[in-house]
Amino acid sequence: MSISSSIKKLVEYGISSGLLPECERIYAINQLLEIMQESEYVDEDISGEKSDLESILTELLDEAVSRGLFEDGPTARDLFDTRLMNAMTPRPAQVQAEFKEAYAKSPQDATDYFYKLSKASNYIRSQRVARDMKWTVDTDYGKLDITINLSKPEKDPKAIAAAKNAKQSAYPKCQLCVENEGYAGRMDHPARQNHRIIPITINDSAWGFQYSPYVYYNEHCIVFNGEHTPMKIEKATFVKLFDFIEQFPHYFLGSNADLPIVGGSILSHDHFQGGRYEFAMERASVIENFTVPGYEDVSCGIVKWPLSVIRLNGPDRNRIIDLADHILGKWRGYTDEAAFIFAETDGEPHNTITPIARKRGDNFELDLALRNNITTEEHPLGVYHPHDKLHHIKKENIGLIEVMGLAVLPARLKGELGRLSEFILEGKDIRGDEELAKHADWVDEIKAAYSDINASNINEILQQEVGKVFCQVLEDAGVYKLDDEGIASFKRFISTL
């Protein structure tokens, strides 16, 4: 396998995938030769050789390591192969122009073009995403999506050590900043040379539109402020959500809450997440309608969902925005000691909202999930957060994606579930195993619930039981439970609107 054949295969990939026009073939070859520090090129016959992108990049990465171009390791490989793919990826101005041209046909044509480009350029590493484990589980609230995320890179010991010794950098300020476009990366910050951003205007300000490199669901996009400014849920948030929905009516868009515990992983940069996917929450029905005085033209209802969700629907987005702002203001200051809802303790605010906007037919729709981040001695990570007994499956914050009914579970579970099935079938001591002991009580419950657990059904049983745990996780995150007492408490809040 020669370096010339590997370079030729990568350029052929670039042309066949639509990244490169034929007229840029020689230019791209020369760019790759420079990156590989090679001065010679021979046009070789590559027929019959592996032509999938992952194999081609692996050949070039192995060659680069053998030449001493970088010290081998997962993070260093990602940094180098992104540099290679940048030689294949159109410049930002060209991408923006083609997006604009496609948008003139339809918003869906524009996003189809951009999503395809983001995958072809390997910004979205499709081969890794395909390794994610995914299944569904039926619950009282509908069919929930369960994923074990295997596409997000694990912590690389070499990268951790290198980052510890490296000079601290404040550029880019975070992984959502516009300055990431074209950035070469470093051992503690991903390379983004093949990353492209579409500039959009929402709420009369400059924002960016991109896809998530980890695509937890179809066309998982991120819409982010052009300025590095913190998350904040306010009236302008609802305006921004609907400004985007009007431009891309085939997408939904939602925001994480703006407080710790109930917020997302990045609270320091104002951003939303959306895409072209129907979550279980969107399919969930309204169990009780109500009317807010002064907003009789907006349909309001309590959604049958484990979290406490108010759904607003109507033809006039401005009326929905005004009512959402009214509800947000009331919720921010609402205390109901009998329901253990406290607006603040010792000056620390607890109440906020996770909003999700979409078009439903000709109408605008906004779901408002009521959140509260109070902690107690019994629940130091949060009263309305996964409780201790569920931490063996899910301990992390319940952000926007989970709120809508998609579990993003840690990669460790793949190995742990595999070993659990072995221990259960062979009758091994789970409590005596350091890694698996945390699952022991759960496994006892599973054994009691199933009369016949065997090699043909063990994996399905474990997956379904993981799904049931996630459903309990969402119920823990609900400030009002969907029982008679919880609904009565929910109605007490609604009566204040």
Side-chain angles (χ1 to χ4, degrees):
M1 189 68 59
S2 73
I3 190 168
S4 289
S5 67
S6 298
I7 286 175
K8 184 175 181 179
K9 284 190 288 186
L10 185 55
V11 173
E12 289 288 356
Y13 166 85
I15 292 169
S16 64
S17 65
L19 290 172
L20 287 173
E22 175 63 41
C23 65
E24 290 186 11
R25 177 186 291 272
I26 294 172
Y27 176 83
I29 288 170
N30 288 332
Q31 292 292 300
L32 292 170
L33 287 170
E34 188 273 331
I35 294 168
M36 296 296 295
Q37 296 186 21
E38 173 60 55
S39 58
E40 298 294 329
Y41 178 79
V42 179
D43 188 12
E44 298 183 357
D45 181 12
I46 58 171
S47 56
E49 295 190 17
K50 286 184 178 180
S51 59
D52 65 285
L53 181 59
E54 192 168 31
S55 297
I56 298 167
L57 290 175
T58 298
E59 289 173 12
L60 287 165
L61 289 168
D62 290 347
E63 177 65 26
V65 170
S66 72
R67 292 175 174 231
L69 300 186
F70 65 87
E71 185 181 351
D72 203 3
T75 302
R77 280 180 168 254
D78 282 359
L79 292 171
F80 197 86
D81 74 8
T82 303
R83 187 178 171 198
L84 292 170
M85 289 309 299
N86 184 46
M88 303 288 101
T89 307
R91 293 281 288 254
Q94 182 183 339
V95 174
Q96 292 170 27
E98 293 196 26
F99 184 89
K100 185 176 181 181
E101 183 179 335
Y103 189 89
K105 297 176 185 174
S106 78
Q108 187 175 322
D109 281 340
T111 55
D112 284 351
Y113 156 74
F114 190 39
Y115 192 55
K116 180 184 176 186
L117 176 102
S118 298
K119 290 191 291 184
S121 69
N122 213 36
Y123 166 71
I124 295 173
R125 295 176 180 263
S126 300
Q127 298 92 341
R128 289 183 187 173
V129 173
R131 295 174 193 142
D132 288 352
M133 294 176 64
K134 299 181 180 183
W135 67 93
T136 61
V137 60
D138 292 319
T139 72
D140 291 341
Y141 311 100
K143 196 182 293 288
L144 301 181
D145 292 301
I146 312 298
T147 67
I148 295 179
N149 174 40
L150 304 172
S151 56
K152 203 168 187 174
E154 296 285 329
K155 296 292 185 184
D156 174 8
K158 285 185 180 179
I160 293 170
K164 186 177 180 181
N165 297 325
K167 178 185 175 183
Q168 291 300 300
S169 173
Y171 180 88
K173 290 179 181 176
C174 79
Q175 292 187 28
L176 289 178
C177 287
V178 292
E179 289 81 8
N180 282 278
E181 188 176 41
Y183 186 61
R186 51 183 192 266
M187 294 301 274
D188 64 346
H189 192 103
R192 290 290 182 253
Q193 287 145 307
N194 57 349
H195 173 39
R196 299 296 179 261
I197 297 169
I198 301 298
I200 61 173
T201 300
I202 58 175
N203 197 31
D204 300 321
S205 56
W207 282 59
F209 169 61
Q210 67 180 58
Y211 287 104
S212 165
Y214 310 116
V215 285
Y216 293 139
Y217 50 86
N218 186 48
E219 298 180 41
H220 177 184
C221 70
I222 300 172
V223 179
F224 60 97
N225 199 316
E227 301 292 330
H228 183 77
T229 186
M231 297 281 293
K232 187 177 183 183
I233 302 296
E234 57 186 347
K235 184 176 183 179
T237 304
F238 309 132
V239 174
K240 293 167 190 172
L241 293 177
F242 281 125
D243 275 0
F244 178 85
I245 294 301
E246 284 204 306
Q247 294 177 61
F248 302 95
H250 58 301
Y251 275 16
F252 77 89
L253 193 68
S255 175
N256 269 305
D258 55 356
L259 294 177
I261 296 176
V262 295
S265 58
I266 302 179
L267 294 178
S268 62
H269 195 126
D270 195 14
H271 71 285
F272 308 128
Q273 295 182 80
R276 194 175 173 197
Y277 189 74
E278 185 183 64
F279 286 86
M281 182 174 165
E282 181 180 345
R283 296 190 295 268
S285 59
V286 168
I287 56 174
E288 188 156 343
N289 291 292
F290 62 89
T291 301
V292 177
Y295 297 92
E296 289 80 7
D297 54 329
V298 179
S299 172
C300 309
I302 297 173
V303 179
K304 185 182 180 183
W305 194 243
L307 281 91
S308 308
V309 179
I310 293 174
R311 177 166 293 163
L312 309 180
N313 183 293
D316 186 342
R317 56 167 268 178
N318 292 325
R319 293 290 290 160
I320 294 176
I321 289 167
D322 288 343
L323 177 51
D325 183 48
H326 175 66
I327 293 171
L328 174 63
K330 288 287 188 181
W331 180 244
R332 290 275 196 203
Y334 184 74
T335 291
D336 181 351
E337 294 187 18
F340 207 77
I341 304 293
F342 295 89
E344 58 88 23
T345 54
D346 300 323
E348 179 189 349
H350 296 304
N351 291 346
T352 186
I353 278 175
T354 300
I356 302 103
R358 65 181 75 91
K359 287 294 293 287
R360 194 182 288 270
D362 292 331
N363 279 3
F364 294 94
E365 189 165 271
L366 185 65
D367 283 348
L368 303 174
L370 306 181
R371 312 298 300 277
N372 180 287
N373 75 344
I374 195 169
T375 60
T376 62
E377 287 187 10
E378 183 184 0
H379 300 294
L381 296 180
V383 173
Y384 306 108
H385 177 86
H387 290 172
D388 287 356
K389 67 171 291 191
L390 310 178
H391 288 179
H392 65 106
I393 298 293
K394 177 73 174 177
K395 184 177 182 179
E396 299 80 8
N397 292 354
I398 302 305
L400 171 68
I401 295 171
E402 284 95 354
V403 165
M404 295 185 292
L406 189 154
V408 181
L409 302 178
R412 63 174 171 82
L413 282 175
K414 180 185 180 183
E416 289 174 14
L417 291 176
R419 294 191 65 225
L420 273 177
S421 64
E422 174 194 329
F423 272 55
I424 292 169
L425 292 175
E426 296 180 11
K428 293 182 179 178
D429 177 20
I430 292 173
R431 293 186 189 278
D433 185 273
E434 185 177 356
E435 181 185 46
L436 300 183
K438 59 181 173 287
H439 297 295
D441 290 345
W442 178 57
V443 169
D444 286 346
E445 293 173 7
I446 293 172
K447 287 179 177 177
Y450 293 86
S451 57
D452 180 26
I453 299 178
N454 56 61
S456 64
N457 67 11
I458 181 69
N459 290 333
E460 173 68 15
I461 287 172
L462 287 176
Q463 287 189 349
Q464 290 301 302
E465 292 301 316
V466 166
K468 291 175 185 177
V469 170
F470 177 62
C471 187
Q472 293 174 50
V473 160
L474 295 184
E475 289 175 337
D476 282 353
V479 293
Y480 299 119
K481 311 312 173 189
L482 271 190
D483 53 25
D484 291 344
E485 183 181 357
I487 290 173
S489 299
F490 202 161
K491 287 181 178 179
R492 279 202 301 276
F493 169 66
I494 289 169
S495 71
T496 69
L497 300 176

